[in-house]
Amino acid sequence: EDRTLGKTTPEPVDETPPELMEMEIFKERKDETLSALEAILEKRSYKASEKVYALGDSGGELFLIRRGLVRILVPAGDNGSEYHLMTCGRGDFFGALSYLDQQERGNEAIAVMDTDVFVLRRDQLEHLIEDHKRLVINLLEAISLILANRLRYAETELAALQS
């Protein structure tokens, strides 16, 4: 349970990075469409404890985790402490809120262990709209649905804390 909640550092696991078609957000997409998407994605790697992005950074990138874990932290009070919001793993995405509203990051993301990600820049997505409208619509719908589920979970946690 502590590992799931991100309270302890998990032991490294030899995991095979998923292909795009294996990620929940891209299931049932045509091979041709996924090939076009993969061609514009950037692959990045982060070492354990390395910052993926910081509070206040530009929100023009969406991160899809291929391998590893990323902890999302938000500031908690004026004393410099942080609140662990969530931990994302293989097949998850993060950074979506700022990606959608193009505002500065309201949290920071730190690799818990060595982590590989796909990065989708906002300007690249806009070019993809030209030839693959359905993919972009489905991607934005999937991001919105997952963000809504995360928000509902957060509301439930807040209600429980207030009780």
Side-chain angles (χ1 to χ4, degrees), residues 23 52 63 65-67 70 81 109 143 151 154 158:
M23 293 182 161
V52 178
F63 299 86
I65 300 176
R66 301 183 67 229
R67 178 183 67 88
V70 174
S81 63
I143 290 170
L151 181 57
L158 286 172

Side-chain angles (χ1 to χ4, degrees), residues 2-161:
D2 283 344
R3 188 172 65 199
T4 301
L5 293 174
K7 293 180 180 177
T8 61
T9 302
E11 294 180 25
V13 176
D14 184 23
E15 58 184 349
T16 305
E19 299 298 324
L20 281 179
M21 69 182 74
E22 296 174 90
M23 293 182 161
E24 186 64 34
I25 199 166
F26 298 119
K27 287 209 174 188
E28 299 180 23
R29 298 291 104 214
K30 295 177 185 173
D31 288 342
E32 168 192 325
T33 303
L34 291 177
S35 293
L37 177 61
E38 192 162 13
I40 65 169
L41 292 174
E42 179 184 342
K43 292 180 183 176
R44 290 188 198 159
S45 296
Y46 297 91
K47 295 288 183 195
S49 301
E50 187 176 353
K51 197 172 283 192
V52 178
Y53 62 74
L55 180 71
D57 282 357
S58 166
E61 297 176 326
L62 179 71
F63 299 86
L64 303 146
I65 300 176
R66 301 183 67 229
R67 178 183 67 88
L69 293 171
V70 174
R71 185 172 288 144
I72 308 299
L73 304 166
V74 293
D78 296 332
N79 61 358
S81 63
E82 299 173 315
Y83 175 76
H84 173 244
L85 189 62
M86 68 179 174
T87 299
C88 301
R90 183 180 188 265
D92 288 336
F93 66 84
F94 62 97
L97 200 55
S98 291
Y99 185 77
L100 291 175
D101 69 9
Q102 299 180 339
Q103 299 295 311
E104 292 179 347
R105 302 276 183 200
N107 55 45
E108 69 177 15
I110 299 174
V112 175
M113 60 195 324
D114 290 354
T115 300
D116 296 326
V117 297
F118 283 126
V119 180
L120 178 60
R121 290 193 340 254
R122 178 120 182 159
D123 61 333
Q124 293 169 320
L125 184 69
E126 291 169 2
H127 292 297
L128 198 60
I129 289 174
E130 303 284 327
D131 298 320
H132 300 283
K133 288 181 179 103
R134 176 63 33 214
L135 170 68
V136 174
I137 290 168
N138 289 338
L139 175 62
L140 294 175
E141 285 176 345
I143 290 170
S144 299
L145 180 61
I146 291 169
L147 286 177
N149 288 333
R150 289 177 183 173
L151 181 57
R152 287 189 192 285
Y153 179 77
E155 287 174 339
T156 302
E157 276 192 337
L158 286 172
L161 288 172

